[in-house]
């Protein structure tokens, strides 16, 4: 950590142009400092030991050692390392392997600049972050498993909006988070600014006593506060 408010970042990806693009995005954030880059999972341990970054952005597909293997080795030696996996795959199998390896985040390479900045901020502060599309896919998988468990007789219980805890608007935002929508899309859907959406999300997390959006969605599903579409 360089200074009280500086988040140091290591980028590991075998595509130089992609690394450069991500670095340019992060350079616009005054609180971010990209301290090193690598092009394969075999580089991670040495680079981490040398630079001690706060967050590692790790490509899942690399030629000699993939991101899952590299993350497993890194977490094995440095249990406090914080890794966000980068991938073109939104299949839950890839997500599961990444999270099992110890990654705290999973981002798709189709992400926009705001999403990757948000992901780094959340993970650096001890939370976890999944790309909104990934959250949606996991919700769908949750529903599929529920249907299988109930042998085809699964019927969603009546939705009980948590109006004892959240405002009506916050309930609407929570539903859209469960649907896998980004802050931008939520704003467009509800005709409010993206900044207002961020404020609602922060309030939801605080009231639900959770660290991040993913935990909020999981809690909401378990409590029957949202519709699983």
């Amino acid at each position: 950590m360089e200074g009280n408010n500086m988040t140091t970042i290591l980028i590991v990806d075998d595509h130089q142009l992609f690394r450069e693009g991500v670095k340019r995005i992060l350079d616009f954030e005054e609180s971010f400092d990209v301290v090193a880059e690598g092009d394969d999972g075999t580089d991670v341990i040495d680079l981490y030991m040398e630079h001690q970054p706060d967050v590692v952005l790790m490509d899942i597909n690399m030629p000699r050692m993939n991101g899952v293997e590299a993350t497993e080795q890194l977490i094995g030696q440095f249990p406090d390392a914080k890794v966000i996996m980068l991938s073109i795959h939104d299949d839950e199998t890839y997500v599961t392997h990444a999270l099992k390896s110890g990654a705290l985040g999973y981002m798709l390479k189709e992400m926009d600049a705001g999403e990757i900045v948000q992901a780094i901020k959340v993970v650096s502060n001890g939370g976890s972050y999944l790309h909104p599309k990934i959250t949606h896919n996991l919700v769908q998988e949750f529903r599929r498993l529920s249907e299988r468990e109930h042998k085809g007789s699964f019927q969603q219980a009546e939705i009980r909006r948590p109006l004892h805890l959240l405002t009506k608007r916050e309930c609407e935002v929570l539903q859209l988070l469960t649907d896998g929508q980004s802050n931008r899309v939520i704003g467009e859907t509800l005709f409010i600014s993206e900044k207002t959406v961020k404020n609602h999300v922060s309030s939801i997390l605080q009231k639900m006593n959770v660290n991040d959006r993913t935990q909020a969605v999981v809690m909401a599903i378990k409590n029957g506060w949202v519709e699983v579409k």
Side-chain angles (χ1 to χ4, degrees), residues 143-160:
R143 186 176 190 216
R144 185 184 65 81
L145 291 174
S146 296
E147 289 173 341
R148 177 185 295 177
E149 180 180 343
H150 291 81
K151 297 180 181 179
S153 62
F154 174 73
Q155 291 184 349
Q156 183 165 297
E158 182 181 354
I159 302 303
R160 305 182 311 277

Side-chain angles (χ1 to χ4, degrees), residues 24 30-31 36 51-52 63 69 75 91 93 97 99 107 114 119 125 138 147 155 166 172 219:
R24 279 197 296 270
E30 294 183 359
S31 61
H51 299 280
Q52 296 290 309
E69 294 171 326
I75 300 298
D91 185 273
T93 301
H97 285 310
L99 298 180
M107 295 293 297
N125 286 322
L138 290 178
E147 289 173 341
Q155 291 184 349
L166 307 178
E172 293 172 337
M219 178 183 289

Side-chain angles (χ1 to χ4, degrees), residues 95-206:
V95 180
T96 300
H97 285 310
L99 298 180
K100 283 184 176 180
S101 73
L104 295 174
Y106 193 101
M107 295 293 297
L108 297 179
K109 289 190 174 183
E110 64 189 46
M111 65 207 164
D112 60 36
E115 287 170 335
I116 189 169
V117 168
Q118 177 68 11
I120 292 172
K121 288 180 177 179
V122 169
V123 170
S124 67
N125 286 322
S128 56
Y129 191 96
L130 299 180
H131 190 284
K133 183 184 289 187
I134 298 300
T135 303
H136 177 70
N137 289 351
L138 290 178
V139 168
Q140 294 303 309
E141 179 67 7
F142 176 87
R143 186 176 190 216
R144 185 184 65 81
L145 291 174
S146 296
E147 289 173 341
R148 177 185 295 177
E149 180 180 343
H150 291 81
K151 297 180 181 179
S153 62
F154 174 73
Q155 291 184 349
Q156 183 165 297
E158 182 181 354
I159 302 303
R160 305 182 311 277
R161 302 296 182 191
L163 294 174
H164 64 288
L165 183 64
L166 307 178
T167 66
K168 182 178 179 182
R169 176 64 86 191
E170 288 168 349
C171 289
E172 293 172 337
V173 172
L174 182 60
Q175 178 63 62
L176 290 167
L177 288 177
T178 304
D179 296 341
Q181 304 300 339
S182 65
N183 286 351
R184 178 180 60 79
V185 174
I186 292 173
E188 292 172 352
T189 302
L190 299 178
F191 302 102
I192 57 179
S193 70
E194 191 168 345
K195 181 179 180 181
T196 300
V197 175
K198 291 179 180 178
N199 290 338
H200 283 313
V201 172
S202 296
S203 178
I204 290 168
L205 300 186
Q206 183 178 10

